[in-house]
Amino acid sequence: MSQPPFFLGLPMWSNRDWLGGLFPQHASSKDFLHHYSGAFNTVEGNTTFYALPGEETVASWQAQLNPGFRFCFKFPKTITHGGHLSNSDALQQFFERLGVLKASLGPFMIQLPASFCPSRLAELGRFLRSLPQGYSYAVEVRHPTFFTKGDEERELNRLLMDLAIDRVCFDSRSLFSRPARNEEERDAQAKKPRLPVHAIATGQFPMIRFIGLGDMACDEEYLIPWQHKLREWLSAGKQPYFFMHSPSNREVPLLAKSFHDSFQDLPGWYPLKIEAQTDQLDIF
């Protein structure tokens, strides 16, 4: 498989709703990562936010990967949400456990809670400077003050630029663009942050987490500007990561395929072989 100039992926690699679409109809769950990495070249590693995977599990992931694939694992919530940020024994164990995947690691995601406020920026700076060299990192903030274009946001951006660490761009505009129509959308709107979108690259690997509705008629309005922004970053020599979500995540392989198809003119582009399932045809 050719290597495109940016990374495109989903929030997970294992979803039985993708049988007959992203995966062969009768694929075994133990082969889901292999099939997923044959289409997409990155994934959000949300599983590590909740628990550290076992050694055998990590080895099985490595065995399934197609060339050029990158995991973007989240730091454990015990570190990012459990109190003061520190380079603890738990974090050292995290790096050791995932070390076997080093050649297949994209930026680690440091997702901070909404309670992480500007008064803790010095703490964040100390933590980021203590992290192991040789890896890439991306920080996601959710405190509203970091989105006002004031001194606090400028201080955050300067810190990340100085350390060549990217700031995650979280875009939930499409998700909130209409009233929820079902329980999945209501749940997503209740849980996902609703914050301004500041498309900024503070490092080499700009990262976007796009939270759509799974309905191209609604999502496309917000995806087209990202197509232009990715091209701008690519022209500047950066290598973006773009992750696509929806409330159910059933539709995101096809939505991501549509986004991917808009870059056919770029070197390294390849077609994503994802079949449209019958119950998904009405979203296009």
Side-chain angles (χ1 to χ4, degrees):
M1 182 173 70
S2 302
Q3 180 60 54
F6 69 94
F7 288 87
L8 176 65
L10 311 180
M12 63 188 71
W13 66 76
S14 180
N15 188 332
R16 299 196 68 83
D17 288 336
W18 300 340
L19 288 168
L22 176 57
F23 307 143
Q25 183 63 57
H26 301 291
S28 168
S29 60
K30 67 181 178 62
D31 297 322
F32 282 177
L33 179 56
H34 174 70
H35 295 302
Y36 176 95
S37 66
F40 296 103
N41 57 356
T42 190
V43 70
E44 284 189 20
N46 290 306
T47 180
T48 53
F49 183 72
Y50 301 101
L52 187 66
E55 293 180 1
E56 291 185 1
T57 298
V58 174
S60 73
W61 293 345
Q62 183 187 38
Q64 294 184 63
L65 295 183
N66 281 281
F69 188 81
R70 297 290 183 269
F71 290 102
C72 291
F73 288 113
K74 285 185 181 179
F75 273 19
K77 66 177 181 178
T78 54
I79 295 166
T80 57
H81 290 58
H84 291 292
L85 294 172
S86 64
N87 200 334
S88 62
D89 291 342
L91 189 56
Q92 296 304 313
Q93 186 180 13
F94 172 76
F95 281 108
E96 290 172 3
R97 184 61 50 83
L98 298 176
V100 68
L101 296 170
K102 187 168 184 178
S104 301
L105 293 176
F108 284 106
M109 298 173 64
I110 304 169
Q111 185 184 93
L112 300 173
S115 60
F116 194 95
C117 58
S119 65
R120 298 181 66 184
L121 276 176
E123 176 189 344
L124 176 62
R126 287 192 296 272
F127 176 68
L128 295 177
R129 291 184 179 95
S130 76
L131 295 175
Q133 300 294 310
Y135 297 100
S136 298
Y137 304 96
V139 173
E140 180 178 305
V141 292
R142 296 188 174 189
H143 194 282
T145 307
F146 288 126
F147 296 85
T148 60
K149 299 186 177 180
D151 290 342
E152 296 87 351
E153 182 172 10
R154 284 189 285 271
E155 185 179 354
L156 168 67
N157 291 341
R158 280 196 300 270
L159 170 64
L160 297 178
M161 287 178 182
D162 288 346
L163 298 175
I165 291 175
D166 277 287
R167 177 176 174 177
V168 176
C169 303
F170 190 93
D171 185 356
S172 60
R173 292 173 298 174
S174 186
L175 174 65
F176 291 102
S177 64
R178 73 183 186 199
R181 297 185 179 184
N182 53 55
E183 189 58 37
E184 290 169 333
E185 291 182 7
R186 281 189 288 273
D187 184 62
Q189 290 182 354
K191 292 179 178 178
K192 301 297 185 184
R194 188 176 189 177
L195 295 163
V197 178
H198 292 178
I200 183 172
T202 55
Q204 181 62 23
F205 306 105
M207 184 177 290
I208 302 93
R209 300 180 67 215
F210 181 86
I211 319 297
L213 284 163
D215 181 344
M216 184 55 77
C218 295
D219 293 341
E220 187 174 27
E221 175 185 350
Y222 303 95
L223 286 170
I224 289 175
W226 282 119
Q227 294 172 15
H228 300 311
K229 178 56 69 174
L230 261 63
R231 289 177 179 273
E232 176 185 318
W233 282 333
L234 290 169
S235 295
K238 299 187 182 297
Q239 195 168 37
Y241 282 74
F242 195 97
F243 296 104
M244 189 173 290
H245 302 233
S246 74
S248 70
N249 288 316
R250 283 190 297 270
E251 316 88 350
V252 288
L254 281 174
L255 290 166
K257 179 182 184 299
S258 178
F259 185 75
H260 174 81
D261 286 348
S262 67
F263 295 94
Q264 293 186 34
D265 59 303
L266 295 183
W269 183 90
Y270 59 88
L272 292 181
K273 297 179 180 179
I274 301 172
E275 299 296 329
Q277 295 169 237
T278 303
D279 60 353
Q280 292 179 330
L281 291 175
D282 61 349
I283 69 173
F284 287 95

